[in-house]
Amino acid sequence: MKKIIIGLVLLMGIILPVSAEVSNQEIKALYAENSIKDAFNLLLSIPEEERSSENWLLMGNILQDEGKVDDAIFMYNNAIATDEKNYKAHYNLGNIFLEQDKPNLAIAEFKKTVKYNSDFAYGYYNLGCAYLKIDKPKTAKWQFYKAIDLNNQVADFHYNLAYTFKKLGNEKQAKAYLEIYNKLIESEK
């Protein structure tokens, strides 16, 4: 009899983590399938103390998509409190702050984004955009260079670098990056 109970306990130990994993997979699947309300309700069913950083991030994304920015900020901050290195939460906060015309707060978040994921080209790109907002084109230029080094196929990276060179009075470089931008746009058609 003891062997059966021990076997059941071991089996339950194997099944329980799998069911938790299935829940995360189900949430991701619902979110990807645009079943946003179902995904959100499933996320809400997870007790707060058991939510992962990714759970908080998804909740923030859903709320931000619904225009509930203050609630999204709360969720992103919880994602960061759960995992300081969640670069996506920092990135999304930075985007909100940039939209709210709070470039210094955006810069702080984008710096953390690239600190925790130095291969994330959009983190550098948005950091460059935030530096342009506070009229620091020389600093912005280096961020756009980093973004292009990581992914040179994004037209907007080249366009903003061209704009930055124009702001710096370097028409030759501005023209060169604008030409790259135009070629990339043309190749997308």
Side-chain angles (χ1 to χ4, degrees), residues 28-46:
K28 288 179 189 177
L30 289 169
Y31 186 76
E33 293 169 0
N34 213 21
S35 297
I36 304 301
K37 286 183 182 178
D38 292 335
F40 195 74
N41 287 334
L42 198 53
L43 286 162
L44 285 175
S45 72
I46 301 170

Side-chain angles (χ1 to χ4, degrees), residues 1-11:
M1 186 69 166
K2 285 183 184 179
K3 288 183 181 180
I4 294 173
I5 293 172
I6 291 171
L8 284 174
V9 170
L10 289 175
L11 185 59

